[in-house]
Every structure is written in C-alpha cells, then in structure tokens.
Amino acid sequence: MKSVLKRVVVGTLVVLCTQGALAQAREGVSELALYQGPDRQARLVEVAKGESGITVYHTYPALTNVMTAFTKKYGIKTRAWRAGSEAILQRVITEARGNRFEVDIVQNNAPENEAAHRERLLQVVRSPLRSDLIPQATPAHGEWVGVTLDVWTAAYNTNRVTEAELPKSYEDLQDPKWKGRLGIEANNHGWFGTLLQELGEERGREIFKNIVAVNGISARKGHSLLTTMVASGEVPLALTVYNWNPEQLKAKGAPIKGLALKPVIAQPSTVAMLKKAPNPASALLFYDFIISEEGQRILQEFSYVTTHKKLAHPLRDDALRYIDPGKAIDMQNAWLTTFDEMIVKKAK
Amino acid sequence: MSTSLNAAGVRQARVSPWQRLGGALNMQWLVIGACLLAVAYLALMPLGFLIWQSFFTPDTAGEASRFTLGNYARAYGSTETLHLLGNSLVFAFGTAVFAFGVGGMLAWMNERTNTPFKKLFFALSIIPLIIPGIMFTISWILLGSPKIGLINMLLQSWFSTDHVFVNVYSLWGMIWVEGLHYSPMAFLMMTAAFRSMDPSLEESALMSGASIGQIFWRVTLKLTWPAIFASVLILFVRAIEAFEVPALLGIPVGTQVLTSAIYQAVHQYPSQVGLASSYGTTLLLITTAGIYLQSRLTGKGSKYATVTGKGFRPRVVDLGSWRYVTAAVFILYFALIVLLPFLVLLWSSLQSYYAVPTMEAARNMSLNAYRFLWDHPTIANSVWNSLVLAFGSATIVMLMTSVVCWIVIKTKLPGRWLLDNVASLPLVFPGLVLGLAVMVFYLNFNIGVYGTLWIMLIVYVTRFMPYGMRYNSTSMLQIHKELEESAQMSGASWGTMFYRILLPLLKPGLLAGWIYVFIVSIRELSASILLYSPGNEVIAIVIWELWENGQFVELSALGVVFILALLLLVVLAQYVGRRFGVKEI
C-alpha cells in the first residue's frame, strides 16, 4: 500500500516538475527550430550537449541505419519505437492529450503526419537543407519534410510471367490471359483514388470494372505478404507493391521483378519534429541529418527513392504522380468506399 | 451478503474464540475483496471506455467530440453489417465445433484411455498454439493453395490431373486453419476436465455391460458437459474476434467478417474508435448471452461434481486393441497438423526466400536466417520481457480467477453470474480498443506505469482473465462442496481450506489454464504494439517487425525455434515431474 502511495506522490511530482521545465523549454523549441543564422549548426551541437539523446517513432526498418550513422557522427543516443503508420499517429495524438511528451521525431507516411499537423502537434522547422529537396517533399506549412518516396509499382514472378506478355498499360490487364493471375494490396485506396483521378474518373472505373469482371483481382493484406506471394508464384502479377519490396527479394535471388505501369504514383514518407520535443536541439540535428546528402545516401542504399535533388532515381521522373496528403485525408471515406466496392469485395 | 457467503464460518464461531473468527473473516474478506476489486477495476475500466466512446464522435483538434447515436446508426443501419456478422457467425461456429472436436478427442485419448505413447502427445498437442498466427496461416497457404499448395501439387502429379483437391481460400479453409490453430485451447480445457473425472462412474457403466462408445457418449461426455459448453463458448467468441485468418484467407476471395470492419474503422484518421466500439457491442451481447446460459447450466447444484470425499483414483479406460486405432489417429494428426506445417517452416527457414521445394532449391539451403536471429540486437531482451510478462500474467490470472470462480460457483451470492460476465467480457474487446483504453486511462491517471512493462502486464491480465475464468470454473464445478464443508467442520479457516483443499484439487484446471495464458501472452500483439516502449520490446513485436520487413525466412526460423523450445520445455517439465515424484492428479 505504502509503495503505491509513494508512487502516486512521486509520479505527481515528476509530472509537475516536467510540466514546469517544459513550459520553459517550449519557447526554446520554436526559437531553435526557426533559427536560420549562420551558426545554426554550431548552436544546435552546443545545446544538444545538455540533452539526453532523442526518441524516434518510425515505420521504416531502414531508419535504424540512419539512426546508427547519426549516433556515430554526433554521439547522440537514439531510442526507437517502431509500429504501423496508424498506430504511430494514434500514439502521438493520445500521448499529447495525456500531456506526455517523450517523443522528439516522428517518421510516418505523409497523410499521417499531415493529420498530426492538423492536430497542431508538429513544429515548423526552417532547415537550410530543405531547398535541396524536391518541391513535393516540402509543404508550405513546413511542419514535415519528405525524406523518401513510397512508389507503388507492379511486380511479377519471372517464372510465371514472360517478358513478352508483360502489360504496357492498365488497359492491357483487361486481356483474359490475366485471368486468376492478378493481385493487389487490400488497403491501397489512396493509390486507387489518385490513379482514377489521373486516368480520368470514368475511364479509370471502366478499365478496372472490366479487369475485375474478366480476370478477377485477389486482394492481399500487407505489401510484404503480397510481395512474398509474388516470389512464391501464388500471385503471378501484383499491381501494388512498394518499389523496394521486389528489389529486396530479387537481391536474394527470388524470381521477381518490379514493373512500372504509367501513371506511376508516389507518396512521400516524412519526418517531423514535435512542438513539445523534450530534446529539440538533438532532434533538429537528426532532422537536418536525414535530409542531408549523407543521410539520404543511406536511405538510397536500401533501394528507397529519396527526395534529394542530387540523388536521381529512374522512378523519380517528370511523369511521376503524387498523392496529395491533405486530399488523402479529406477523401479518405470516398476513396475507401470506391476501392472496397470495386476491388476488395469483388476479390477472387 | 455475509450470512449467505459465510454460513459455515458462522457455525464455526460457536466452537472457536471470537478473535479467531475475526482473523479468519479478515483473511477471507481481504482475499475475496481484493480479487473482486481487481477484477472489477480491470474489466470495468475498458468496458466503460468502450461504451462511452460508442456514443461519441472522434475528438480532433479541429472538431471537439460530441454525443451521437450515429455510430450505432452507421454500424447497424446497413445490411452490410448483417452480412459481415453472418459471415462471422458461420466462421466462428464452424471453428468452435471443429476445434472442439479435434481438441476434445485428443484430450479424451490422452487422459481417459491407455493409448500407447500418450505422454509424448501432450507436448505435441499444444504445438499449433505456439506457432505465430501469421506463420501458421501462411504455412497452410503454402500447403493448401490451389496454385502453389504442396498438397495440390503432390496429388496432381500422382493422379496426373489439374484438379484442385483442396482450396484454403474459402470459408471451409478458414475454419480448418483457425480450428486447428485453436484446438489446443479445447485440448487443454478438456484435459483438465477429464483428469478430474471419477473413474468409478465409467467403471460401473462398464460393469453394467456398456460398450466403450456408450460409456463415452452417456457417461464421460454427460459429466463433462459444463467443460464442453465452456470450451465451445470461448472458442466461438474467440473466433468471432479473430483477425489474421480471415484477413489472409478470406479477403483474397472477397469474404469479409465483422473484425475487418472494426479494423478499418480504427485504422483511419480521425480514428473511428466510437464506430469500432459500437461494432464491438454486438460481440459483448453475444458473450453475455453465452455466459448467462452457462450460469443456468452450472446453477444446477453439484450435478457435475466428480471430485468428492470418497476415494478418488484416476484410472483410464482400457481400449483393448482399439488403442492401436487411437494411436494411429494421434500419429495421423501429428503428421498432418503438426509435422506438415513444421516442415514447411523448417524448409523455408533454410532458404533465402520461399521457393517451392525442388532439388535445385535444396542446393541453396543455408543457416543464414538462424545466424540473423542470433545476431539480432533486441531478440534476447524481448524474449526475456515476454517470458517475464507471460509468467506474471499467467500466474496472476489463474490465482485471481480461482477466487472469483469460487464466488461464482460455490456461493449463493445474488447476481454472481454478472461477476462472471464482467470478468469474461474483456475477451471480446477489440485488442486495439483495449490497448487504447488502457493507454488513455494511465496517461490521465499517472501512477508511473505508462512506458513500463507494468502497463503491459495490466493489459495481459485484463485480456486473458476470461480464459482463467473458464478454465477455473470448469474444474471448480467438479469439486464437490462436501470437501470444503468437511475442512471447515474440522476447524480450518477459509484461507487454509482454499490453499490446502481447493487449490490442489483445482490443479488440473489451473495448470491447463496457466499453460494457455502463458502461451497466448507471448503471442499478444494488438494491444502490445500501442503500449510497448523503447527498451521494453516483447517477442510479438519482433515477429511483427520481421513480418513488416518482409523477412519471411527469418520469421520461419523464429517459428522453428519457438516450437523446439516449447517441446524441450514440456519434456523437461515431465522429466522433472517424474524425477521428483510430483504426482499428477
């Protein structure tokens, strides 16, 4: 009983103390984040010395490598918490409402971080390095920055689909030779909504209605599963995997290849700093590091399409189309319904 | 309340000094009170959250949350939900019956017959439970898919045809996979029930000329009816709440269930927790109905009590030459259900990516996946955390629910079935909603558990309490009241009676439940993922990460290691048991 009481008292004290310290630090956060003077870097390094490492919430496995390189460069420790995109958003929002501020940096899909922006949780950061990135990676509000592009491509099993019969466009998939051979990820409504927009709503719907009626599309939960199923031959041609999915398996010798069907669609994966980050200087150093050429190269090594202008990638051409993160939130229900009605419920 | 609860205690007061009565009462009420409070606290908090949320719109920075009936209107205003619910019910009912059939039969052969080698089979019977759900389902895709399924390919080449023999992508396929995966749950529960059977009843039937089939049907099954009902009920409710199998086998062919709708509601922005909760209320009602029925069944006094004051020597039924048939059934089961998926995992763990077994692929075998696991930075820590949590939650759940079950079954407290119900409802809270409820609560009621392993322990105990209830109540029902009464007549306090008489007699149920809760705690993901924190990873998170990264081969290797570790543990436990003369009841 005593220890519980003690815990409650200590807990309350800790909360009170951290709240006080936070109020003091808050001005420091935005001042640091917006500072653009020539000694920005030196100042951040100096302030960071008094901080206690950073906490990062992330969805990408490869972010671990960026964090390792960051620690090696600055000697700043990182604590990582990894989960799915929705769980991260959920946790950031719920923790903020519960007045708990432990996280410094959040890496997540653009729509999720756009949602965090709408929840007024993110800090505007004026990093000088932002100008090195493509425009789609730097929204006007400046509260998140795109570090990579998740590009959806098709992938096929090279033992089950020959080069000669590969489709050139979505129209080609209406050919009955694809009967029972197509797969798709079951949650790609954002991709589908944007694709229909690009193809022309009416024409797009017509094409997919035909594909589903003639050949059927099997829906799979999760891009990893879908890619594994392509490599094993279960799904000869998958329409929506992330571009690095087949690359990973191909490197291990699996009979799988990526295939870009136009219009190719991408969504930035983003990094943001929290308004109430407990370690703002270290967080900003990380922020700068991941969009610097050095940090971006690490991501490129893992087959990611980066957002750095200097690091070209064949998929990042002028024809590449981007999901608008704000629109993805506003249209969410409409896109979900369309995708469910047209594809998932008719899956076979 | 106290008079009905403690009639025996009052009687005892006439012969003992008042002080002693006071002591006994305190002890009794302290334990009972603490358990009641704990159960109420653990179960009512998320229940309150769920019901409260279901009447509100999502709370965002742009729009404050407000009262609405819209969640219910949206959830139940369309025929779509009915359709999903229909699928869920068929799937859950099929799964429950099938899993019970398999698990119950194995338990009977293991406990009530003299089938050869049955000691070995205990460990093997619970193997499907330890395989992570994703891996178990995928192994069955690799076995039973029309395109690449090994079973189909093998049969097709034998009979030189392209006929599809089995198709795992169907409602039957879903029932098969889910049913097999959870058959150990029925196995463990029925094992406990059969272990506490009074063999003299079966023997008298035998003496009166009944055949083995008749004995089984008319004596064994009838006596274990509460256990059967409890197993089927909990299997049914669990299958309704299942997500992995319907997602991996149903969605590819357009078959969706209610949990798909719950999943979709939670996974958007703003997160529709209210909508998910209003879907969840249907599951709450179904469970409540089931628990009520069960309470009617068990309210019929000591009809099912087989453990009495009379001599009690467990003895098995001699099957004669039939025991070779049951042994053959065992072997067939293991070849098909345990060995086949295990071999698929083993094969894929030795590859660099999954390839259909061929001579060429066999040349590419390597141990890289195992090396990867060995070098993994967080696995050792995660395994330790998981073991600590699993041990803690299994022990707390089983001890706490044993007291609650005593109240529900052995007292005449009015409304005690509601207590049973409250303790059983966490079973159907969608995992993510439960995780969120606990998260919100401890963020606002800061006692320092958030961000530690304690918060996960709280969630695990809440989540698996219902299983403890079912396992314990099944065994509790079999213990005749007369044992308790004679202890009290001999002057034992309630605490002594509970500790020295009830707990040892409950051992079969306690142990079976403990094993079950231990294993499912290790696998718990949906609530853990929201609540773990850096440095407090559990093994389920590592599994999820490997899966998300597409490291299927490494995941297979982990599955293989899991199975071998479980086997080793059970064999070790049995060896230690024999060595130190721990007698099994």
Side-chain angles (χ1 to χ4, degrees), chain B residues 130 132 372-392 453 456 460 518-519 521-523 532 535-543 545-546 554 557-563 565-566 569:
Chain B
I130 194 83
F372 172 87
L373 292 183
W374 184 255
D375 295 333
H376 195 285
T378 55
I379 271 191
N381 188 32
S382 313
V383 167
W384 174 248
N385 285 341
S386 283
L387 288 178
V388 170
L389 281 172
F391 186 88
L453 277 183
M456 295 172 81
Y460 289 7
F518 187 85
I519 296 179
S521 297
I522 288 182
R523 287 188 8 207
Y532 87 96
N536 285 332
E537 288 86 1
V538 292
I539 199 69
I541 304 287
V542 176
I543 292 174
E545 278 201 84
L546 291 175
E554 289 79 1
L558 195 61
V560 170
V561 175
F562 265 28
I563 294 171
L566 180 76
L569 258 174

Side-chain angles (χ1 to χ4, degrees), chain B residues 52 55-57 65-70:
Chain B
W52 173 257
F55 289 107
F56 282 89
T57 59
S65 163
R66 62 192 153 70
F67 178 83
T68 179
L69 291 174

Side-chain angles (χ1 to χ4, degrees), chain B residues 271-343:
Chain B
S271 183
Q272 304 281 344
V273 179
L275 182 62
S277 301
S278 57
Y279 282 123
T281 47
T282 304
L283 306 186
L284 292 180
L285 290 179
I286 292 175
T287 313
T288 304
I291 301 285
Y292 178 72
L293 278 178
Q294 167 114 24
S295 79
R296 293 293 302 273
L297 188 72
T298 55
K300 289 176 191 156
S302 52
K303 192 171 153 195
Y304 299 104
T306 49
V307 183
T308 61
K310 277 179 252 156
F312 175 69
R313 281 166 304 141
R315 213 175 310 154
V316 296
V317 178
D318 186 356
L319 289 180
S321 50
W322 279 97
R323 67 201 159 108
Y324 298 110
V325 177
T326 53
V329 170
F330 258 128
I331 291 164
L332 190 75
Y333 172 82
F334 292 115
L336 249 169
I337 310 312
V338 181
L339 204 60
L340 226 48
F342 176 75
L343 288 178

